Amino acid sequence: MPTDISPTLLLAGATVLVVFWLAMFFVSRYRRCPANKLLVISGKVSGGESAKCISGGGAMVWPVIQEYDYLSLEPIQIDIPLKDALSFENIRVSVPSVFTVAIGTEPAVRQNAAVRLLKLTFEQIKRQAQDIIFGQLRQVIASMRIEEINRDRDAFLHNIQTSLEPELKKLGLVLLNVNITDINDESGYIEAIGRKAAAEAVQKARGDVADQERMGEIRVAEAERERVIQVANAHKAREIGIREAEREQAVRVAELDKEQKVGEQTAAFEREMAVKEAEQKKRVAVAGADAKAIAGEAQSQAQIVATEAQLKVRQAEAYQVAETRKREAEAAVQEAQNRAMAKAAVAEAERVEAERRAALEAPAKAEKARTIVEAEAEAEKRVLHAKAEAAAIYAKLEAEARGQYEMLAKKAEGLKMIVDAAGGSREAFQLLMLEHMDNLAETAALAISNIKLDKVVVWDSGNGAATGNFISGLAGAMPPMMDVIRNIGGVELPAMFGKLAEDGNVTGSADAIAVPKIVAAPEPETASAD
């Protein structure tokens, strides 16, 4: 049997369905923006902008009144094979490079990107940026010299960035990186500069090598000199030590010999003294016992005196021998010492001589080697420098010739346009002559302005009609002169001078030709004889 459903359950179910539908609606209309993309919401947006740009996060996109799209923020690499760009010196330069750009994330820049790049393909965006880069790069190259472009790459890149970034921001792009792959020119000017710099670097390196070799030879010579000096000092100290040891040995031997001889003489003297004393005591005892033997005692006394005299003589002789040997030993020691000092002096003189010879020879050898190396380096430097200068002059002259050729070509095109506009070469020549008529008149007047005429003399046939003949001759000369000026110079004189009829004569009134009045200048005054 069917059961009745209460209204409360129906209301609760309807509420759940509405809430679920609203949740699904909000979920379906919420758009998330990835980190590498730019979410652009167009249509009715707040703030009075044409589009709302979101980088990261998300936003609600309302149906009917709004739509959305994405712009990629990934970098775009653009190859710029720039060729034949004119530099400041009118030399054509090729600068192949690679530019990396991307859509900017700044509010103003991404707003421009939303307006100008939305729904464009990758190739279309790349082509628009490439056109802007070509133009700005040519403008930067035209404002710099080749040496500045080649030497100061940082300044070149700074100028490119300064000139290019504002134009790219108008499109909604920003410049990420500039990679200049190469810089070259048809005339070989950059290559000549490189060869010149390489030659200078080679010459500097060779000079440094020569300096290091010279310093090495000097250090070797100094080390050799120090070694010789130290060896000589060692030999000197050794010889002096040996001589001092020998001298001390001789002195000690002499002293020991002297002490031995003195001891021997003293012992002999004491022995004899003891013997004499014993004999004396004996004789005294005998003399005391035999008081009566006066003659014998006198004789004993005489013998005693004689013995004492002999003893003193022997003592004197022993002392003399000892002193003589002592002096001889001292003389031998002195002689040995003098010989050692003489040998030391000879060794010292030889050492000083060796030092002075080494001190004189080492700088001379080093100077010789340095002179040879410097001469070879200087010759090589001059050859390379001359080649580099010749190549640079050739490249510069070739570039100037190309520039002159361009100028003459442009001038020829201008003259051709003037001839076409004037209706013919003769009319163009007349037009150009009229433009320069004032300069020709000024030059002619300047040429005769400094001429001083003392007098003017008119020659005639002598019939008395000089002025009349001059005027008639001038009138007769006017037709051929005007015909020559018109046919050769292409110039028509004003009507005040007359006109050429069909037969080549001048027509017009008599007063149409202005004849100057010629007056003879007075004779210069001369001083009188008085």
Side-chain angles (χ1 to χ4, degrees):
M1 293 179 63
T3 60
D4 294 334
I5 300 174
S6 64
T8 304
L9 292 176
L10 292 175
L11 181 61
T15 303
V16 170
L17 289 176
V18 170
V19 171
F20 179 75
W21 182 82
L22 289 175
M24 294 300 296
F25 174 77
F26 279 103
V27 169
S28 64
R29 302 313 301 172
Y30 185 80
R31 295 292 177 263
R32 294 185 301 274
C33 180
N36 63 340
K37 291 184 178 181
L38 182 68
L39 176 61
V40 180
I41 301 174
S42 58
K44 185 175 180 59
V45 295
S46 61
E49 299 289 343
S50 59
K52 180 180 180 181
C53 300
I54 299 174
S55 177
M60 293 294 298
V61 179
W62 300 105
V64 180
I65 62 173
Q66 289 181 346
E67 65 176 358
Y68 72 97
D69 206 339
Y70 291 99
L71 285 174
S72 177
L73 297 178
E74 295 179 355
I76 303 172
Q77 286 191 349
I78 304 173
D79 293 330
I80 305 296
L82 181 62
K83 294 182 180 180
D84 298 334
L86 283 176
S87 65
F88 185 78
E89 301 98 333
N90 291 327
I91 299 176
R92 296 193 177 275
V93 183
S94 296
V95 187
S97 55
V98 178
F99 285 73
T100 303
V101 299
I103 294 176
T105 56
E106 297 179 1
V109 178
R110 65 188 185 185
Q111 192 71 26
N112 292 336
V115 173
R116 295 180 174 86
L117 302 180
L118 191 63
K119 297 185 182 300
L120 292 182
T121 63
F122 180 81
E123 291 298 328
Q124 289 175 339
I125 297 174
K126 183 177 179 180
R127 187 164 54 252
Q128 290 189 14
Q130 191 175 25
D131 294 338
I132 295 175
I133 293 171
F134 265 113
Q136 295 302 317
L137 188 57
R138 287 184 181 274
Q139 182 178 354
V140 172
I141 293 173
S143 64
M144 298 183 67
R145 300 180 182 274
I146 292 181
E147 293 184 359
E148 295 176 351
I149 297 173
N150 188 44
R151 182 181 65 252
D152 196 353
R153 296 290 181 91
D154 292 337
F156 181 47
L157 294 177
H158 177 72
N159 292 339
I160 293 175
Q161 185 176 6
T162 304
S163 176
L164 185 59
E165 278 191 344
E167 301 300 324
L168 290 177
K169 286 182 178 180
K170 294 178 183 178
L171 198 63
L173 300 173
V174 293
L175 181 63
L176 298 181
N177 184 37
V178 179
N179 184 14
I180 305 298
T181 58
D182 192 11
I183 298 176
N184 53 60
D185 61 314
E186 296 179 354
S187 61
Y189 184 63
I190 296 177
E191 183 179 358
I193 294 174
R195 289 200 298 268
K196 180 179 178 182
E200 292 177 354
V202 169
Q203 294 303 320
K204 185 177 183 301
R206 289 186 176 179
D208 294 340
V209 170
D211 292 338
Q212 293 299 324
E213 290 180 351
R214 175 175 59 82
M215 293 177 64
E217 292 180 358
I218 292 173
R219 286 197 295 269
V220 169
E222 291 178 352
E224 184 67 21
R225 180 174 63 84
E226 291 294 333
R227 186 186 66 80
V228 172
I229 292 173
Q230 291 178 1
V231 170
N233 289 332
H235 283 297
K236 180 181 72 173
R238 176 175 169 272
E239 292 293 332
I240 292 174
I242 292 173
R243 296 304 179 184
E244 289 179 351
E246 291 177 351
R247 183 189 64 183
E248 292 177 357
Q249 182 182 2
V251 171
R252 185 59 178 166
V253 169
E255 289 178 353
L256 293 174
D257 191 13
K258 180 187 71 173
E259 291 176 356
Q260 181 182 359
K261 292 183 180 298
V262 171
E264 290 177 355
Q265 294 295 328
T266 302
F269 174 73
E270 290 178 353
R271 183 178 59 82
E272 290 179 359
M273 285 293 296
V275 171
K276 295 302 181 181
E277 287 178 356
E279 290 178 355
Q280 182 181 4
K281 289 178 180 180
K282 179 182 179 181
R283 287 187 179 95
V284 170
V286 171
D290 195 6
K292 296 178 179 180
I294 298 172
E297 185 180 357
Q299 187 178 359
S300 298
Q301 292 292 331
Q303 289 178 357
I304 292 170
V305 172
T307 301
E308 290 179 356
Q310 290 178 0
L311 179 60
K312 290 181 179 181
V313 170
R314 290 179 180 178
Q315 289 178 351
E317 289 177 355
Y319 180 76
Q320 182 179 3
V321 171
E323 288 293 329
T324 301
R325 291 183 178 180
K326 178 182 177 181
R327 298 295 175 84
E328 288 177 356
E330 291 178 353
V333 171
Q334 185 66 31
E335 183 179 1
Q337 186 176 4
N338 291 335
R339 288 180 181 176
M341 294 178 64
K343 289 184 178 180
V346 172
E348 181 68 18
E350 292 177 354
R351 182 187 65 78
V352 173
E353 183 181 0
E355 289 180 357
R356 292 182 178 177
R357 184 181 293 114
L360 293 175
E361 289 180 357
K365 291 181 180 179
E367 183 65 23
K368 179 181 177 181
R370 185 184 66 81
T371 304
I372 293 173
V373 172
E374 288 180 353
E376 293 177 353
E378 183 65 24
E380 186 68 20
K381 178 181 178 181
R382 290 184 178 180
V383 171
L384 293 176
H385 187 67
K387 289 181 180 180
E389 286 185 351
I393 291 172
Y394 175 79
K396 183 177 180 182
L397 292 177
E398 185 178 3
E400 290 178 355
R402 290 177 180 272
Q404 292 293 332
Y405 174 78
E406 294 291 338
M407 292 174 60
L408 293 175
K410 296 298 182 181
K411 187 174 182 180
E413 292 179 0
L415 292 175
K416 183 178 179 181
M417 294 174 64
I418 293 174
V419 170
D420 295 336
S425 60
R426 180 175 180 180
E427 288 76 6
F429 177 74
Q430 292 177 358
L431 179 61
L432 294 175
M433 283 294 294
L434 290 176
E435 290 181 356
H436 296 285
M437 185 63 72
D438 53 346
N439 292 331
L440 294 175
E442 183 180 357
T443 304
L446 183 63
I448 64 173
S449 61
N450 294 327
I451 299 177
K452 296 181 179 180
L453 301 176
D454 293 336
K455 59 183 178 179
V456 177
V457 179
V458 178
W459 284 274
D460 197 65
S461 59
N463 54 5
T467 304
N469 290 336
F470 175 74
I471 294 174
S472 62
L474 180 62
M478 284 297 292
M481 181 178 67
M482 293 176 65
D483 185 59
V484 169
I485 292 174
R486 184 183 66 179
N487 294 332
I488 297 178
V491 178
E492 290 286 350
L493 293 179
M496 61 178 293
F497 292 103
K499 296 183 179 179
L500 285 174
E502 296 297 331
D503 55 356
N505 295 324
V506 179
T507 61
S509 60
D511 56 355
I513 300 175
V515 179
K517 182 178 181 181
I518 302 174
V519 180
E523 293 291 337
E525 295 181 358
T526 58
S528 60
D530 298 336

